[in-house]
Amino acid sequence: MPSVLWILFDGGGDRPSGGKTPFYVAFKPTIDYLTSLGSCGVLDPISPGVRPGSDTAHLALFGYDPYKYYTGRGAFEALGADVQLKPGDVAFRTNLATVDDSGTVIDRRAGRYIAPEEARAVEKVLNKIGEEVGRKYGVEVVYKSTVEHRGVLVLRGAVSHRVSDTDPHKVGAKLLRSEPLDNSKEAALTAEVVNEITRRFSEAAKELEINKTRRLEGRLPINAILLRGGGYMPQIEPIKERYNIKAAAIAGVALIRGVARAVGMDVYTAPGLGGTKDDKFDEALKLAVELMARYDLVFLHVKGTDSTSHDGDFNGKVSVIERLDKSLAPYLDKLLSNYLVVTSDHATPVSVKEHTGEPVPIMLYGPDVVTDDVAKFSELTCWRGALGRIRGLDVMPILGSYLGLTEKFGE
Ligand code: ZN
Ligand code: ZN
């Protein structure tokens, strides 16, 4: 049984500068060889002109309408941090921060460095506060620290994501009170719970041993938690049921791991794949090829193309693409008898340093896929290909059809 390897360059799409794009310039003989044998096209991740976030774009690419399933980043971030979520749970992204006596934010990241043992100490305090506040309001509260100052706060019970952030999103502004954004009693209760946890944490922080040490060392205390991006965990039919495709994802970025997990993919990590611009892909591709024996679809997320784009680093972006291709080369024979998809989740032009709404190139290779006359994978060439112009939501049905796994529509 053939299976699909799907390589996604996050923010890989670009606009021509000096007539060229990173995909066009990059030396990527393996991807280009398979491109010459397969079909190319352009892809609107959501729909023409919509500037996607990585989360909404991935939902669409995995075959789930983001307008139906996306309720904010928090839930996916929490899933990506290995927090178990149930449908209806509300999750926030959090920052540990420093505020002054008047509640004005001095540093949104509490000096940027938080040691793992400090994060664990905060986790303990916040979960204790969560337990007490939760008991009072009849909800379950879980806090989990993720990377450095970041974490997730999950509320379970009669709660709602329709509340405002407490994060003012800038220094020099006051820590905000969360307000309900609709008239439901769930939103009112959620805002109360959030505000009480926020207040109690700032109080408890005064007595925290780690803060005494941090002060002695001249470091900023951790004395506030900022919440943003509240979202609830939607009820999502797993990808195996919806498309009859058994899928795995390899990703280092928590948000992408979370989206993949939310749609029922098995999620893997690989050494070297931390989600940075310096990632190495040898181990990730080795794992991907191994997994192809057990899965119909193996998705590999490459973050570096997006990070370099946000930095405006054209050469860095080219280098990420070239490194990936080099690590892919040993598997050419294996790929020739399977399927390969290469695309992006959105364009992040290095000239703009932000996500933009134009389509991105896509290629599909397979032993039985039409060969068109495009021999180079890039924004400038894929327009001429046999796939034409498709949307993110079209990808899974196309793959399901080639794999012979989808049901016929009608008789
Ligand atoms: Zn992205
Ligand atoms: Zn980005």
Side-chain angles (χ1 to χ4, degrees), residues 10-11 52-54 303 306-307 309-310 345-348 353-355:
D10 200 307
S54 293
K303 176 64 183 169
D306 189 57
S307 334
S309 302
H310 284 291
D345 56 342
H346 49 77
T348 311
K353 301 185 185 174
E354 249 309 333
H355 304 185

Side-chain angles (χ1 to χ4, degrees), residues 30-74:
T30 302
I31 289 175
D32 282 343
Y33 177 61
L34 290 164
T35 298
S36 74
L37 299 176
S39 290
C40 282
V42 295
L43 171 107
D44 291 296
I46 295 176
S47 58
V50 173
R51 295 175 51 217
S54 293
D55 42 14
T56 50
H58 276 76
L59 266 180
L61 287 162
F62 294 157
Y64 295 81
D65 183 352
Y67 292 108
K68 183 166 170 203
Y69 293 101
Y70 187 71
T71 67
R73 185 168 174 154

Side-chain angles (χ1 to χ4, degrees), residues 265-337:
M265 290 177 156
D266 291 339
V267 177
Y268 294 84
T269 39
L273 197 75
T276 73
K277 61 181 195 299
D278 302 317
D279 278 358
K280 310 256 186 309
F281 306 108
D282 285 352
E283 293 292 329
L285 281 162
K286 183 165 167 259
L287 173 64
V289 170
E290 278 166 23
L291 291 174
M292 285 170 77
R294 286 191 278 133
Y295 290 89
D296 305 313
L297 167 67
V298 179
F299 177 87
L300 173 63
H301 179 256
V302 177
K303 176 64 183 169
T305 34
D306 189 57
S307 334
T308 48
S309 302
H310 284 291
D311 293 343
D313 179 5
F314 188 98
N315 292 337
K317 190 169 184 178
V318 171
S319 152
V320 173
I321 299 162
E322 292 185 340
R323 283 207 306 278
L324 184 289
D325 192 81
K326 201 169 171 206
S327 303
L328 188 65
Y331 306 108
L332 180 61
D333 278 348
K334 166 95 185 172
L335 293 172
L336 282 168
S337 55

